[in-house]
Amino acid sequence: MDNNTNNYLADFPALDQQVNDERLAYLDNAATVQRPRQVIKALTDFYEQDNANVHRGVHTLAERATKDYEEARKKVQQFINAQSSDEIIFTKGCTDGLNLVASTYGEQNIQSGDEIVISIMEHHSNLIPWQQLAKRKNAILKYIELTPDGELDLTDAKNKITDKTKIVAVTHASNVLGTVTPLKELAAIAHQHGAIIVGDGAQAVPHMAIDVTDLDVDFYAFSGHKMMSPMGIGVLYGKASLLREMPPYQFGGEMINDVHRDQSTWADIPFKFEAGTQNIAGAVGLGAAIDYLNNIGMDNVQKKEQELVDYVLPQLIAIPDVQVYGPQSPAKHTGVIAFNINGLHPHDVATALDMDGVAVRAGHHCAQPLMEDLGVTATARASFYFYNTKNDADQLIKAIKETKEFFNIGTI
Ligand code: PMP
């Protein structure tokens, strides 16, 4: 595949535009990615032909919509290699899935004095639900620290996870440091101590082949919009044996078996956790996004992104007065690259880059405890997806050099 004329670009209408009279280099993929025509078409087709509410109806459109929705669930199951499609719960997104686990499994199983172990690199979505659960239950929240390189410190994890630990909740890939965590090893450690493990797959599932059975995680949450589906749809994978024992998350239509004046019984999984009308079109769009990724092959997606990291990271590090966070070696770094220019606020950097057509994010990236750890309040962040090209990388490097020149920062 030629890196400058990426074969996939033609599928992404949003990438083919100018901003501020410059070619768009969209490098905000860790926040959300762009959608290919195939996903947009799947949505249009659904609304034009099959739109109806699922499960309840016997009419033809309701049956078609139900088939579409359940086929999407099956696609997700196969995509992450879950044992059964009953283990796939559709959610609003990763945040929703993680809150679901904390509010149901956590509420049921955490008691005073128990320990919950997370890492210091967690996104607020995989931090606050556990922090608040610990507060409610008078439990103890512990943080696994980082190595000097910005990787999860496995030795520290072995010290922090003990027989008192009931839940370990760790991201699979950092949305700031560009590191992948040893989730499989962490799962084994958690299980040795009788704890369960929750994986945050928001930055992993869109970028690499995921096998929840091999990882042996108990729960694993991710968002569709970071892997080309519509917004507002996500997935919580959970082991069936655990899901069956958990209380419902929300109450209402669809999630019940029988309702009487004084009592109700719950539907079996996954419906027990899908109260009310779901984002059916979103699920259909997620199914189409999975088809698109399967067509490329997740190994190729990862390879393509690695080629871009190999190309851009050393160039970025070589610019004087630019500080890159996380591992400095491309082999250890994903396509998420957080950086600062000495003396400039990251918001000013992002605004200046936007003038050159380069879309990056600036802020604390919903990881304030990590920012504290890094000794900064915010960073800029460029994040790549398989559809990016060396042209995008060149435009980023050029724009950073021009920004330095504009603000008169050091040598260029
Ligand atoms: N975890 C990580 C690592 C993330 O990067 C994100 C999104 N930035 C989330 C969780 C939350 O995802 P969402 O906002 O789609 O629920």
Side-chain angles (χ1 to χ4, degrees), residues 314-323 397 400-401 404 411-412:
Q315 293 190 62
L316 200 55
I317 290 170
I319 304 174
D321 302 303
V322 169
Q323 165 89 36
I397 298 294
I400 290 176
K401 289 182 176 168
K404 280 187 61 187
T411 45
I412 298 145

Side-chain angles (χ1 to χ4, degrees), residues 30 93-95 123 125 171 173 175 200 202-203 223 225-226:
C94 189
T95 305
H123 186 283
S125 299
T171 193
N175 67 319
D200 171 353
Q203 299 292 348
S223 292
H225 70 93
K226 294 182 200 283

Side-chain angles (χ1 to χ4, degrees), residues 139-156:
I140 297 150
L141 183 66
K142 285 176 156 181
Y143 287 87
I144 303 168
E145 305 296 338
L146 306 178
T147 65
D149 218 12
E151 294 191 292
L152 183 134
D153 186 343
L154 202 52
T155 311
D156 192 44

Side-chain angles (χ1 to χ4, degrees), residues 77-131:
Q77 178 212 335
Q78 285 162 358
F79 192 61
I80 61 170
N81 196 31
Q83 295 299 296
S84 152
S85 61
D86 293 346
E87 299 182 314
I88 305 300
I89 297 159
F90 283 121
T91 63
K92 283 191 292 183
C94 189
T95 305
D96 192 30
L98 295 166
N99 274 280
L100 190 160
V101 181
S103 306
T104 56
Y105 183 91
E107 204 59 47
Q108 192 177 43
N109 291 286
I110 292 291
Q111 285 162 11
S112 176
D114 286 347
E115 294 182 357
I116 302 169
V117 177
I118 66 174
S119 89
I120 195 66
M121 71 169 94
E122 297 312 313
H123 186 283
H124 295 165
S125 299
N126 199 31
L127 190 158
I128 310 173
W130 309 116
Q131 180 193 66

